[in-house]
Amino acid sequence: MHSHELGKAFEPQSFENSIYEFWEKNRCFEASDQSAPGQEPFCIVIPPPNVTGVLHMGHALTNTLQDILIRWRRMKGDNTLWLPGTDHAGIATQTLVEKAVAKEGKNASGRPLSRHDLGREKFVERVWKWKEDHGSQIKNQLKKMGSSLDWTRERFTMDEGLSVAVREVFVRLYQEGLIYRGERVINWCPRCQTALSDLEVVPTDRKGSFWHIAYRVVDESGKPVLNADQTPAQLVIATTRPETLLGDSAVAIHPDDERYFHLHGKKVILPLVGRQLPIILDAYVDREFGSGALKITPAHDFNDYEIGKRHDLPIVSVMGKEGRVTAEGGAFAGMKFAEAREAIVQQLQEQGFLVRVEDHAHKIGLCQRCDTVAEPIISKQWFVKIAPLAEPAIAAVQSGKIEFSPKSWEKTYFEWMNHIRDWCISRQLWWGHQIPAWYCGRCEGISVARETPTQCDHCQAPTSELRQEEDVLDTWFSSALWPFSTLGWPQSTDALKTFYPTAILETGFDIIFFWVARMIMMGIHFMGDVPFRKVYLHAMVRDEKGEKMSKSKGNVIDPLTVIQQHGADPLRFTLAMMAGQGRDIKLSVDRVEGYRAFCNKLWNATKFFHLQIHPDQGGPVEEPAGGLARWVLEQHQELLVHHQWILSRLQSTIQTVEASLEKFELNVAAQALYQFTWHEFCDWYIELSKLALREGGERRVQTIYILRYVLGELLQLMHPFMPFVTEELWQSLPWRAAASHATRKQLGLPDLTTLMLQPFPQFHEKLTHPGAEQMIASIQSIVEAFRNFRGENNISPKVEFSVKYCPGSAEADAFLRAHSTQIQFMSRIGNLVSVTPGTPEVSGESMIRISHPPLEFRIQLQGLVNVDEEVKRVEKEIEKLNGDLAFIEGKLSQETFLSRAPAALVEKERARQGDLLSKKLEMEKVLGRLRSLK
RNA sequence: UGGGCUGUAGCUCAGUGGGAGAGCACCACCUUGACACGGUGGGGGUCGUUGGUUCAAUCCCAAUCAGCCCAACCA
């Protein structure tokens, strides 16, 4: 890249893409498998987005935060690896392709084409093709964000290497007894036709009904039990799912429930079906709820399943996988669940079993992917026995080997991990890692192996007798291995040795259980060490009203649109500024526009520098011999006070940014950069430097040096946050040095003139200057007092007025003489002439007083302002002084304050009181004189 | 039911044991040789409520109200 003219204003579209290409072409993002001697590795693995995904604000946020950390550490010299990749996203992707296939035509029976019409092999081919066609979309979108990912290492959860890792893990866990196949109640999505894990079912509020159904009671011999009044005894049972009664195995009551003591040992007749069911006693039953009697359907309810096991009840499975009642359902067999419910309710009513129906609000589980009601059904599935894996994973966080930030999430983590249930990992899908288990047609034994076995493990039957498990693994199974599988595991690669454990995991809190916890478990189990040291959890991005963004609500703010309109840097800066927020980030485009203005400000500050070295303004200046940085460090004591001030303020900013990045307080760092750039560098330093620049000669050259130095440091400091605009501006500056980075040397790459590989600015103690800071603060308060006078009196900026000043000390006099031109320039006043202290006030003068240093300014009002306005201004000031005084006097009049508060504080308050008092007396005199004028 | 979070200016949010800040919005003035994506000045808050600890509380503690999130076996 070559130095070039800057455009009129910040126009991100004109340079963002070419800058990214420049970085990528020159291999700036690449890490080295082996760090240079003394070089630290720093690795973050990307939370892999769905391969078919489209970049949304959540991605934009997490990738901005990660890129900031990565770019910062890279500039600090680390061997930095940010590892990209995508997730195959089992159900999501399969559903997408199924929909596409359905649109293509109809099958022989006239229905839209389904995956079954294609067959497994063809369908999976189609998904791969889809992946090839659409998989690069998200990658290109990440590039638009400026993400400095090492694309040479891009991975995919179903690529060859990761598939090897998945099989390896499966086989080992199986051999260790931590994976088993078992028949259990699981959540089933009838639309997706697959089992779901507990986490993939979203409990959702629904209005439903509460059906109260009478079950007639009979004795051991099957005769109806009668009540005292000779009516038949019955148990009323309330349910929200009447269709499940077909699968009832018992009715449960609480053992201590006095109302039902007489029914112990009796049975009930299941309505419509006629089956006799035992009445069982179980303390699980809540006596307060409903009638206190509970129907037990072990095949279709998680709790009933447990109760059924306790009482050895038969399991009657009446709800089939295709969403219809099974043959066990007798007359209702073949009906869809909803139809069955209607029919059953109707028959119950007709036959007099329905006691009453109430409205009932309750939660039902919906499939996370398709919002279909997920039904608990009994089914044979593969599970991970989780407790032995969870234990060390809990310990790792307890011991601080892994730290969560914000720390409060650790509690959430413990809460879940301590109550964790076995993980159902099999999915009845075609897109995913097919489970490496083979069933023997001869002995029915299971052989689990890394590759297709040549014979049955149990009966040595040949391969031809073996049939591979059709199910695939839960997508999150492969994601759980991500931090080590992407680095080459199970092979012992250099990358794995260098970068595992990774440094930081940055992600949303919504996937702590899905992903973070599982990575910790798998990492510890297979690598013998945690997968990362720190877990940073960010908030959810919502719309400006705090509502979740969703396509159906139409409130989605599309990051790509925002980037196109305002640029990637303003978006990144906005997100960084908001990163400190607790759980929700309310994003509005207004904010982005605000930070676009900030970019424009930075742009124009740089343009200001360029103007100063333009031929019209005195022409180019040579870089100091030995380099600018060295010149600054050597010369800073000789410089004008505002130069010393800005250097000192810069040090303070460097310190804040560095410390905040270290603590992952990116918003604090961004805030400091914004404040410094706009309100110190632009508002004051550039303004203060204009006089010296006009003066020309040595002072102009010095000013150009400091401007260039501070600008350079600032661009470096800001680069991790706003990589594009900083690189673009930096490339325009003179005296750029080629960056020499250890990683590039390791990779055998030449040095490169780029900002992104420059060293991160360092704090220089010797450049801090409290004296200069104090002096500029004084100038600022004087200038602000004049501006206030002008503003409150509505004096046009064009009107210059003269001011007399009266110093309270020799130092104050010297100070003012030294800085009078600056003060005049900044506050646009004309003459500034001194009067000897004690000179009597002239009629028609008003006064401005400054405490540090002690100075009085007298302004002749005649012909300048309306006296009434100035009276108002002075009155306001006195009012404020009175308020301050009342507060301090109140404090100082308290005996307990004087005796118990720190002496230094008491002293400070006393001094302040004196100061305020004398100021007040002066202003009152001024007020008196002003009033006498009228 | 359990766990957690939040409550500060009109809006979005920082913040601290010694009389509250920013950005945006608002009002007034200003096209000044980097920038109107700009400059200058200004208005605006009993820091959810009530108690307690303290010389001193917006900040620490307790209670309470309001809103939100997560986990869960109330059919």
Side-chain angles (χ1 to χ4, degrees), chain A residues 577 588 590-591 593-595 597 671 674-675 678-679 683:
Chain A
M577 277 292 225
S588 76
D590 288 359
R591 280 297 281 271
E593 283 172 17
Y595 295 118
Q671 175 75 45
Y674 184 94
Q675 166 69 24
W678 202 312
H679 298 304
D683 285 354

Short mmCIF file of all heavy atoms in Angstrom, two decimals, chain A residues 577 588 590-591 593-595 597 671 674-675 678-679 683, chain B residues 9-13 21-25 42-45:
data_model
loop_
_atom_site.label_atom_id
_atom_site.label_comp_id
_atom_site.label_asym_id
_atom_site.label_seq_id
_atom_site.Cartn_x
_atom_site.Cartn_y
_atom_site.Cartn_z
N MET A 577 -18.61 -0.82 22.48
CA MET A 577 -19.09 0.11 23.49
C MET A 577 -20.20 -0.51 24.33
O MET A 577 -20.39 -0.16 25.47
CB MET A 577 -19.64 1.37 22.83
CG MET A 577 -18.57 2.37 22.49
SD MET A 577 -17.86 3.09 23.96
CE MET A 577 -17.83 4.79 23.53
N SER A 588 -29.48 0.12 18.43
CA SER A 588 -30.23 0.92 17.47
C SER A 588 -29.24 1.50 16.47
O SER A 588 -28.08 1.73 16.78
CB SER A 588 -31.00 2.03 18.17
OG SER A 588 -30.12 3.06 18.54
N ASP A 590 -29.13 4.34 15.35
CA ASP A 590 -28.68 5.67 15.77
C ASP A 590 -27.29 5.64 16.39
O ASP A 590 -26.47 6.52 16.17
CB ASP A 590 -29.63 6.25 16.83
CG ASP A 590 -30.96 6.66 16.21
OD1 ASP A 590 -31.09 6.50 14.98
OD2 ASP A 590 -31.84 7.11 16.94
N ARG A 591 -27.09 4.62 17.22
CA ARG A 591 -25.79 4.51 17.88
C ARG A 591 -24.68 4.34 16.86
O ARG A 591 -23.61 4.95 16.95
CB ARG A 591 -25.78 3.30 18.83
CG ARG A 591 -26.45 3.53 20.17
CD ARG A 591 -25.78 4.60 21.00
NE ARG A 591 -24.58 4.18 21.70
CZ ARG A 591 -24.56 3.66 22.91
NH1 ARG A 591 -25.68 3.43 23.56
NH2 ARG A 591 -23.42 3.35 23.50
N GLU A 593 -24.68 5.28 13.82
CA GLU A 593 -24.47 6.55 13.12
C GLU A 593 -23.59 7.48 13.95
O GLU A 593 -22.75 8.20 13.42
CB GLU A 593 -25.82 7.22 12.82
CG GLU A 593 -26.53 6.59 11.65
CD GLU A 593 -27.95 7.10 11.47
OE1 GLU A 593 -28.29 8.16 12.03
OE2 GLU A 593 -28.72 6.41 10.79
N GLY A 594 -23.80 7.45 15.24
CA GLY A 594 -22.98 8.26 16.14
C GLY A 594 -21.50 7.91 16.05
O GLY A 594 -20.64 8.79 16.01
N TYR A 595 -21.22 6.62 15.98
CA TYR A 595 -19.81 6.22 15.92
C TYR A 595 -19.26 6.35 14.50
O TYR A 595 -18.06 6.41 14.31
CB TYR A 595 -19.62 4.81 16.49
CG TYR A 595 -19.94 4.82 17.97
CD1 TYR A 595 -20.96 4.05 18.50
CD2 TYR A 595 -19.24 5.67 18.83
CE1 TYR A 595 -21.28 4.12 19.84
CE2 TYR A 595 -19.55 5.75 20.16
CZ TYR A 595 -20.57 4.97 20.67
OH TYR A 595 -20.89 5.05 22.00
N ALA A 597 -19.88 9.07 12.95
CA ALA A 597 -19.42 10.45 13.09
C ALA A 597 -18.05 10.47 13.77
O ALA A 597 -17.20 11.30 13.46
CB ALA A 597 -20.43 11.26 13.91
N GLN A 671 -14.46 3.49 25.41
CA GLN A 671 -14.85 4.77 25.98
C GLN A 671 -13.63 5.68 26.13
O GLN A 671 -13.67 6.86 25.80
CB GLN A 671 -15.50 4.52 27.35
CG GLN A 671 -15.86 5.75 28.14
CD GLN A 671 -17.08 6.44 27.58
OE1 GLN A 671 -18.06 5.79 27.27
NE2 GLN A 671 -17.00 7.75 27.43
N TYR A 674 -12.53 6.95 22.76
CA TYR A 674 -13.46 7.96 22.26
C TYR A 674 -13.21 9.30 22.94
O TYR A 674 -13.07 10.33 22.29
CB TYR A 674 -14.88 7.47 22.53
CG TYR A 674 -15.98 8.35 21.99
CD1 TYR A 674 -16.53 8.08 20.74
CD2 TYR A 674 -16.48 9.41 22.73
CE1 TYR A 674 -17.56 8.87 20.23
CE2 TYR A 674 -17.50 10.21 22.23
CZ TYR A 674 -18.04 9.93 20.99
OH TYR A 674 -19.05 10.71 20.50
N GLN A 675 -13.13 9.26 24.26
CA GLN A 675 -12.94 10.46 25.06
C GLN A 675 -11.63 11.15 24.68
O GLN A 675 -11.58 12.36 24.46
CB GLN A 675 -12.96 10.07 26.55
CG GLN A 675 -12.45 11.11 27.51
CD GLN A 675 -13.39 12.31 27.60
OE1 GLN A 675 -14.57 12.19 27.31
NE2 GLN A 675 -12.83 13.47 27.98
N TRP A 678 -11.71 12.46 20.80
CA TRP A 678 -12.58 13.58 20.49
C TRP A 678 -12.32 14.75 21.43
O TRP A 678 -12.11 15.90 21.01
CB TRP A 678 -14.06 13.14 20.57
CG TRP A 678 -15.00 14.02 19.79
CD1 TRP A 678 -15.04 15.38 19.83
CD2 TRP A 678 -15.99 13.60 18.86
NE1 TRP A 678 -16.01 15.83 18.98
CE2 TRP A 678 -16.61 14.77 18.36
CE3 TRP A 678 -16.43 12.34 18.39
CZ2 TRP A 678 -17.66 14.72 17.43
CZ3 TRP A 678 -17.47 12.31 17.47
CH2 TRP A 678 -18.06 13.48 16.99
N HIS A 679 -12.36 14.50 22.71
CA HIS A 679 -12.41 15.61 23.66
C HIS A 679 -11.06 16.08 24.18
O HIS A 679 -10.98 17.10 24.85
CB HIS A 679 -13.34 15.24 24.81
CG HIS A 679 -14.75 15.02 24.34
ND1 HIS A 679 -15.45 15.96 23.64
CD2 HIS A 679 -15.56 13.93 24.41
CE1 HIS A 679 -16.65 15.48 23.34
NE2 HIS A 679 -16.73 14.25 23.78
N ASP A 683 -10.60 18.32 20.40
CA ASP A 683 -11.16 19.54 20.97
C ASP A 683 -10.09 20.49 21.50
O ASP A 683 -10.21 21.71 21.36
CB ASP A 683 -12.13 19.22 22.11
CG ASP A 683 -13.46 18.69 21.61
OD1 ASP A 683 -13.66 18.69 20.39
OD2 ASP A 683 -14.29 18.28 22.44
P A B 9 -32.58 8.14 35.03
OP1 A B 9 -34.04 7.96 34.89
OP2 A B 9 -31.66 7.42 34.12
"O5'" A B 9 -32.23 9.68 34.91
"C5'" A B 9 -33.21 10.69 35.25
"C4'" A B 9 -33.00 11.84 34.28
"O4'" A B 9 -31.60 12.17 34.31
"C3'" A B 9 -33.31 11.49 32.83
"O3'" A B 9 -34.48 12.12 32.36
"C2'" A B 9 -32.14 12.00 32.01
"O2'" A B 9 -32.51 13.08 31.14
"C1'" A B 9 -31.25 12.64 33.04
N9 A B 9 -29.82 12.39 32.78
C8 A B 9 -29.19 11.37 32.16
N7 A B 9 -27.88 11.49 32.08
C5 A B 9 -27.64 12.72 32.70
C6 A B 9 -26.48 13.45 32.95
N6 A B 9 -25.26 13.04 32.60
N1 A B 9 -26.60 14.62 33.61
C2 A B 9 -27.81 15.03 33.97
N3 A B 9 -28.99 14.42 33.79
C4 A B 9 -28.83 13.27 33.14
P G B 10 -35.82 12.37 32.79
OP1 G B 10 -35.99 13.69 33.35
OP2 G B 10 -36.23 11.16 33.55
"O5'" G B 10 -36.54 12.40 31.36
"C5'" G B 10 -37.83 11.87 31.15
"C4'" G B 10 -37.97 11.50 29.69
"O4'" G B 10 -37.49 12.60 28.90
"C3'" G B 10 -37.12 10.30 29.26
"O3'" G B 10 -37.85 9.10 29.40
"C2'" G B 10 -36.83 10.61 27.80
"O2'" G B 10 -37.91 10.27 26.96
"C1'" G B 10 -36.69 12.14 27.82
N9 G B 10 -35.31 12.56 28.03
C8 G B 10 -34.86 13.33 29.07
N7 G B 10 -33.57 13.57 29.01
C5 G B 10 -33.16 12.93 27.86
C6 G B 10 -31.88 12.85 27.28
O6 G B 10 -30.82 13.33 27.68
N1 G B 10 -31.88 12.10 26.12
C2 G B 10 -33.00 11.51 25.59
N2 G B 10 -32.79 10.81 24.47
N3 G B 10 -34.21 11.57 26.12
C4 G B 10 -34.22 12.31 27.24
P C B 11 -37.11 7.76 29.81
OP1 C B 11 -38.15 6.72 30.01
OP2 C B 11 -36.10 8.02 30.86
"O5'" C B 11 -36.34 7.43 28.46
"C5'" C B 11 -37.03 6.88 27.35
"C4'" C B 11 -36.04 6.55 26.25
"O4'" C B 11 -35.32 7.77 25.89
"C3'" C B 11 -34.93 5.59 26.67
"O3'" C B 11 -35.35 4.24 26.51
"C2'" C B 11 -33.80 5.95 25.71
"O2'" C B 11 -33.99 5.39 24.44
"C1'" C B 11 -33.97 7.47 25.61
N1 C B 11 -33.12 8.21 26.56
C2 C B 11 -31.75 8.34 26.28
O2 C B 11 -31.30 7.81 25.26
N3 C B 11 -30.96 9.02 27.13
C4 C B 11 -31.48 9.58 28.22
N4 C B 11 -30.66 10.25 29.03
C5 C B 11 -32.86 9.46 28.54
C6 C B 11 -33.64 8.77 27.69
P U B 12 -34.71 3.12 27.46
OP1 U B 12 -35.38 1.85 27.13
OP2 U B 12 -34.69 3.62 28.86
"O5'" U B 12 -33.21 3.06 26.94
"C5'" U B 12 -32.93 2.50 25.67
"C4'" U B 12 -31.44 2.49 25.44
"O4'" U B 12 -30.96 3.87 25.37
"C3'" U B 12 -30.62 1.90 26.58
"O3'" U B 12 -30.61 0.49 26.51
"C2'" U B 12 -29.26 2.52 26.33
"O2'" U B 12 -28.60 1.88 25.26
"C1'" U B 12 -29.64 3.93 25.88
N1 U B 12 -29.61 4.90 27.00
C2 U B 12 -28.38 5.48 27.30
O2 U B 12 -27.37 5.23 26.68
N3 U B 12 -28.41 6.37 28.35
C4 U B 12 -29.51 6.71 29.12
O4 U B 12 -29.38 7.51 30.03
C5 U B 12 -30.73 6.06 28.75
C6 U B 12 -30.74 5.20 27.72
P C B 13 -30.27 -0.36 27.82
OP1 C B 13 -30.27 -1.77 27.44
OP2 C B 13 -31.11 0.12 28.93
"O5'" C B 13 -28.76 0.07 28.04
"C5'" C B 13 -28.17 0.12 29.32
"C4'" C B 13 -26.91 0.93 29.19
"O4'" C B 13 -27.25 2.32 28.98
"C3'" C B 13 -26.01 0.95 30.42
"O3'" C B 13 -25.19 -0.20 30.43
"C2'" C B 13 -25.21 2.23 30.19
"O2'" C B 13 -24.15 2.02 29.29
"C1'" C B 13 -26.25 3.14 29.55
N1 C B 13 -26.90 4.05 30.50
C2 C B 13 -26.17 5.15 30.97
O2 C B 13 -25.01 5.30 30.57
N3 C B 13 -26.75 6.00 31.84
C4 C B 13 -28.00 5.79 32.24
N4 C B 13 -28.53 6.66 33.10
C5 C B 13 -28.77 4.68 31.79
C6 C B 13 -28.19 3.84 30.93
P G B 21 -20.76 15.41 38.07
OP1 G B 21 -19.55 15.85 38.76
OP2 G B 21 -21.92 16.31 37.94
"O5'" G B 21 -20.34 14.94 36.62
"C5'" G B 21 -21.32 14.54 35.71
"C4'" G B 21 -20.76 13.42 34.88
"O4'" G B 21 -21.13 12.16 35.49
"C3'" G B 21 -21.34 13.33 33.46
"O3'" G B 21 -20.67 14.20 32.58
"C2'" G B 21 -21.13 11.87 33.13
"O2'" G B 21 -19.78 11.61 32.81
"C1'" G B 21 -21.45 11.22 34.49
N9 G B 21 -22.87 10.88 34.59
C8 G B 21 -23.83 11.50 35.34
N7 G B 21 -25.01 10.95 35.22
C5 G B 21 -24.81 9.91 34.32
C6 G B 21 -25.71 8.95 33.79
O6 G B 21 -26.91 8.83 34.03
N1 G B 21 -25.09 8.09 32.91
C2 G B 21 -23.75 8.13 32.58
N2 G B 21 -23.33 7.22 31.71
N3 G B 21 -22.89 9.01 33.06
C4 G B 21 -23.49 9.86 33.92
P A B 22 -21.40 14.74 31.33
OP1 A B 22 -20.65 15.91 30.84
OP2 A B 22 -22.85 14.85 31.62
"O5'" A B 22 -21.18 13.54 30.30
"C5'" A B 22 -19.87 13.07 30.02
"C4'" A B 22 -19.95 11.86 29.13
"O4'" A B 22 -20.56 10.77 29.86
"C3'" A B 22 -20.84 12.03 27.90
"O3'" A B 22 -20.11 12.65 26.86
"C2'" A B 22 -21.20 10.59 27.58
"O2'" A B 22 -20.13 9.92 26.94
"C1'" A B 22 -21.38 10.00 28.98
N9 A B 22 -22.77 10.07 29.47
C8 A B 22 -23.29 10.97 30.35
N7 A B 22 -24.57 10.77 30.63
C5 A B 22 -24.90 9.66 29.88
C6 A B 22 -26.10 8.94 29.73
N6 A B 22 -27.22 9.25 30.38
N1 A B 22 -26.11 7.87 28.90
C2 A B 22 -24.97 7.56 28.27
N3 A B 22 -23.77 8.16 28.32
C4 A B 22 -23.81 9.21 29.15
P G B 23 -20.87 13.52 25.81
OP1 G B 23 -19.84 14.17 24.98
OP2 G B 23 -21.91 14.33 26.48
"O5'" G B 23 -21.60 12.41 24.93
"C5'" G B 23 -20.85 11.55 24.07
"C4'" G B 23 -21.78 10.55 23.44
"O4'" G B 23 -22.34 9.70 24.48
"C3'" G B 23 -23.02 11.16 22.79
"O3'" G B 23 -22.74 11.59 21.47
"C2'" G B 23 -23.99 9.98 22.80
"O2'" G B 23 -23.68 9.04 21.81
"C1'" G B 23 -23.69 9.38 24.18
N9 G B 23 -24.55 9.95 25.22
C8 G B 23 -24.25 10.95 26.11
N7 G B 23 -25.23 11.24 26.92
C5 G B 23 -26.26 10.37 26.53
C6 G B 23 -27.57 10.22 27.04
O6 G B 23 -28.11 10.84 27.97
N1 G B 23 -28.28 9.25 26.36
C2 G B 23 -27.78 8.50 25.32
N2 G B 23 -28.61 7.61 24.78
N3 G B 23 -26.55 8.62 24.83
C4 G B 23 -25.85 9.57 25.49
P C B 24 -23.46 12.86 20.91
OP1 C B 24 -22.88 13.14 19.59
OP2 C B 24 -23.45 13.91 21.96
"O5'" C B 24 -24.96 12.35 20.73
"C5'" C B 24 -25.27 11.36 19.74
"C4'" C B 24 -26.67 10.84 19.94
"O4'" C B 24 -26.80 10.30 21.28
"C3'" C B 24 -27.77 11.90 19.89
"O3'" C B 24 -28.12 12.23 18.56
"C2'" C B 24 -28.90 11.18 20.62
"O2'" C B 24 -29.51 10.21 19.80
"C1'" C B 24 -28.13 10.48 21.75
N1 C B 24 -28.11 11.30 22.98
C2 C B 24 -29.26 11.30 23.78
O2 C B 24 -30.23 10.61 23.44
N3 C B 24 -29.29 12.05 24.91
C4 C B 24 -28.22 12.78 25.24
N4 C B 24 -28.29 13.50 26.35
C5 C B 24 -27.04 12.80 24.43
C6 C B 24 -27.02 12.06 23.31
P A B 25 -28.64 13.70 18.27
OP1 A B 25 -28.99 13.73 16.84
OP2 A B 25 -27.68 14.67 18.83
"O5'" A B 25 -29.99 13.77 19.13
"C5'" A B 25 -31.15 13.05 18.72
"C4'" A B 25 -32.27 13.28 19.70
"O4'" A B 25 -31.88 12.77 21.00
"C3'" A B 25 -32.62 14.74 19.96
"O3'" A B 25 -33.46 15.26 18.95
"C2'" A B 25 -33.31 14.65 21.31
"O2'" A B 25 -34.61 14.14 21.20
"C1'" A B 25 -32.42 13.62 22.02
N9 A B 25 -31.31 14.29 22.72
C8 A B 25 -30.01 14.41 22.31
N7 A B 25 -29.25 15.09 23.15
C5 A B 25 -30.12 15.43 24.17
C6 A B 25 -29.95 16.15 25.36
N6 A B 25 -28.77 16.66 25.74
N1 A B 25 -31.02 16.32 26.17
C2 A B 25 -32.19 15.80 25.78
N3 A B 25 -32.49 15.10 24.68
C4 A B 25 -31.40 14.95 23.92
P G B 42 -22.52 25.97 30.20
OP1 G B 42 -22.23 26.44 31.56
OP2 G B 42 -21.99 24.67 29.73
"O5'" G B 42 -24.09 25.97 29.96
"C5'" G B 42 -24.86 27.11 30.32
"C4'" G B 42 -26.30 26.92 29.91
"O4'" G B 42 -26.37 26.58 28.50
"C3'" G B 42 -27.04 25.78 30.58
"O3'" G B 42 -27.46 26.14 31.88
"C2'" G B 42 -28.20 25.58 29.63
"O2'" G B 42 -29.18 26.59 29.79
"C1'" G B 42 -27.52 25.78 28.27
N9 G B 42 -27.10 24.50 27.68
C8 G B 42 -25.82 23.99 27.56
N7 G B 42 -25.78 22.83 26.98
C5 G B 42 -27.11 22.54 26.69
C6 G B 42 -27.69 21.41 26.06
O6 G B 42 -27.13 20.40 25.61
N1 G B 42 -29.08 21.51 25.98
C2 G B 42 -29.81 22.58 26.46
N2 G B 42 -31.14 22.50 26.31
N3 G B 42 -29.28 23.64 27.04
C4 G B 42 -27.94 23.55 27.12
P G B 43 -27.67 25.07 33.01
OP1 G B 43 -27.70 25.76 34.32
OP2 G B 43 -26.72 23.98 32.77
"O5'" G B 43 -29.14 24.53 32.70
"C5'" G B 43 -30.25 25.42 32.75
"C4'" G B 43 -31.46 24.75 32.15
"O4'" G B 43 -31.18 24.38 30.78
"C3'" G B 43 -31.84 23.42 32.82
"O3'" G B 43 -32.64 23.64 33.96
"C2'" G B 43 -32.60 22.71 31.70
"O2'" G B 43 -33.93 23.18 31.60
"C1'" G B 43 -31.81 23.15 30.47
N9 G B 43 -30.78 22.16 30.10
C8 G B 43 -29.43 22.25 30.30
N7 G B 43 -28.77 21.21 29.83
C5 G B 43 -29.75 20.41 29.29
C6 G B 43 -29.66 19.15 28.64
O6 G B 43 -28.65 18.48 28.41
N1 G B 43 -30.92 18.67 28.26
C2 G B 43 -32.10 19.32 28.47
N2 G B 43 -33.19 18.69 28.04
N3 G B 43 -32.21 20.49 29.07
C4 G B 43 -31.01 20.97 29.45
P G B 44 -32.31 22.86 35.31
OP1 G B 44 -33.22 23.34 36.37
OP2 G B 44 -30.85 22.87 35.53
"O5'" G B 44 -32.74 21.37 34.93
"C5'" G B 44 -34.10 21.09 34.57
"C4'" G B 44 -34.17 19.71 33.97
"O4'" G B 44 -33.33 19.66 32.80
"C3'" G B 44 -33.60 18.61 34.87
"O3'" G B 44 -34.59 18.17 35.78
"C2'" G B 44 -33.23 17.52 33.85
"O2'" G B 44 -34.36 16.77 33.49
"C1'" G B 44 -32.78 18.37 32.65
N9 G B 44 -31.32 18.46 32.58
C8 G B 44 -30.51 19.37 33.23
N7 G B 44 -29.25 19.20 32.96
C5 G B 44 -29.22 18.12 32.09
C6 G B 44 -28.11 17.48 31.46
O6 G B 44 -26.91 17.76 31.56
N1 G B 44 -28.54 16.42 30.67
C2 G B 44 -29.84 16.04 30.49
N2 G B 44 -30.04 15.00 29.68
N3 G B 44 -30.88 16.64 31.07
C4 G B 44 -30.49 17.66 31.84
P G B 45 -34.30 18.16 37.34
OP1 G B 45 -35.57 18.42 38.04
OP2 G B 45 -33.11 18.98 37.58
"O5'" G B 45 -33.91 16.64 37.62
"C5'" G B 45 -34.69 15.57 37.07
"C4'" G B 45 -34.11 14.26 37.54
"O4'" G B 45 -32.77 14.14 37.00
"C3'" G B 45 -33.94 14.12 39.04
"O3'" G B 45 -35.12 13.59 39.61
"C2'" G B 45 -32.77 13.15 39.18
"O2'" G B 45 -33.22 11.81 39.22
"C1'" G B 45 -31.99 13.35 37.86
N9 G B 45 -30.68 13.99 38.02
C8 G B 45 -30.35 15.13 38.68
N7 G B 45 -29.08 15.43 38.58
C5 G B 45 -28.54 14.41 37.81
C6 G B 45 -27.21 14.18 37.37
O6 G B 45 -26.22 14.86 37.58
N1 G B 45 -27.13 13.01 36.61
C2 G B 45 -28.19 12.19 36.30
N2 G B 45 -27.91 11.12 35.56
N3 G B 45 -29.43 12.40 36.70
C4 G B 45 -29.52 13.51 37.45
#
